[in-house]
Amino acid sequence: MTATPSQPHRCGTASCACPSVPVAPSAFGGVRRLVSPVRKSAGRSWPGAPTRRSRRVSRPAPLPGALTLALLPLVLAVLPGSFAGGGTRRWFGGRGEGARADAQAAKDAAAAAFYELDTAQRDLRISIETIVAVDSSPAARRAAADFEAFGQRIDEVSHQYITAVDAHDLDRDDLEASAATRARTELTAAKDALGRTKQDLDRFSQGLGPLLDKAETQLARLAPAVERARQTLLAASNALDAVRGAGLKADDLAGRLAALAPELTKLNQGAGQHGVADTLQRADRVVRDAEAVRAEAERLPERAREIDRRLVSLRTRAQALTTRSEQVEPVLSELRRRFTAACWQDLQRVPEQAVENVRQAEAKLAEAQRAREEQRWPDATARLSTVRALLNSTDEAVSAAGDRLRRLNEVSKDPQAEIERTRFAVRDAQRLAMAGRQRPDPRDARPLDESVARLDRAVAALEGRHPDYWQFLTEMEAVRATAARVVARIREERGQGAG
């Protein structure tokens, strides 16, 4: 805006000493105000801009044309600097700027490839650590070694990328097109190396699928297994406290439960210190042992009642056997009077043995009673088992004497019944051996022929004055057992052939 004679001075004061600003006719019509290079305003971005205080409006005065033409190159030289700003990069320039842009694009692509490779390596390291923590197989160790080899390769391509980035400053004002091209080439090569390594790493990661699935499955089992072990130990401890509250001692169970304390400590220390596989095995072992303690503790009151019942029952049985053993001697007297010595010789010591067995049983019963009172449950149970075995043996011996007399009486009155029973068993075996055959198998014929001969000899032995009826009964049982074995073999063989 050009001042006119009718306009007031811009300073607004009459005493202002600001130099007047001359004006000159513009080459494009009108007038152009010339600027003073005296001062630079802090609010202007181009040098030589006048301030409000440095400008002074004066009347336009015509200047010679030669002066105008002399100042015009100076003004044109100032204008590019005013648009460029202090120290900023030039935003136009053709081929050089295009090469810079290509190099910057290559740098950005290489940076993205570097980031992707670094992320993939971090994720895969977590997978490898998971596998190694769980699996100690050769396949897992080989996977860890291969990952270490990949780490060296990744270090090499990463060094190539970092070297390329550090070697080229793409923000330099004086970057030449050739330098930008060289930077683009090196950064592109680094990006390609990073990409190829990333692809190989992805393929390696895919091959770890089975190992990783197995490791993750075991890790998924780890926390529940440890927690189950803790809960089982707690349940066993509570069951033991309940038993003690009922007035029963369970020192053996308490000792077994205390032995599991170190195992619980190792479980609390975790798989990081003891390994996943060992921790899982330890948890299973603790669950099994603690569950056994809990079950026995819960069964202990019933076990005490059962021991009490067995004490009463076995004591009553011992007393009954004492009475029965006293009746063996009259049985033996009758056997001696009516039959030969061979029929009763093996029963001579039955009365004495019965008395001795009952005496030992009563002593063991007393020991079992003391163990019960002291709540030594395993000892009480063991003593009662011994008592039962002694009484069973005595019962069999006492019963044998009476059974012997009964059978000898039957066979002496009618031996023919025993003979017919035995002949029937032999004939049945012979018919089965000849079924579907012209001649019997020698494996069947020989024992059956021997059985017939034994039967005939036993029958002939009864013709004497004082026959050995016990020997006769023993022979009849042996013949029937032989026939039964032949029948069983034939049926088994034919059953396999039919199958």
Side-chain angles (χ1 to χ4, degrees), residues 25 34 47 190 194 196 225 297 299 306 316 358 396 401 407:
L34 300 181
L194 291 169
R196 287 191 298 270
R299 195 162 45 87
E306 177 65 23
T316 301
V358 170
E396 291 175 0
R407 294 183 63 188

Side-chain angles (χ1 to χ4, degrees), residues 27 49 60 104 126-127 209 365 457 498:
Q104 185 62 46
I126 295 174
S127 300
L365 277 173
R457 287 194 298 270

Side-chain angles (χ1 to χ4, degrees), residues 152-167:
Q152 297 177 0
R153 179 178 171 185
I154 291 172
D155 291 343
E156 293 175 359
V157 296
S158 298
H159 179 72
Q160 178 184 353
Y161 161 72
I162 295 171
T163 301
V165 170
D166 292 342

Side-chain angles (χ1 to χ4, degrees), residues 164-187:
V165 170
D166 292 342
H168 304 284
D169 184 6
L170 302 181
D171 293 330
R172 288 167 42 200
D173 292 340
D174 58 347
L175 181 66
E176 297 180 356
S178 59
T181 301
R182 186 166 57 257
R184 178 178 60 82
T185 301
E186 295 180 4
L187 289 169

Side-chain angles (χ1 to χ4, degrees), residues 85 111 490:
I490 293 173

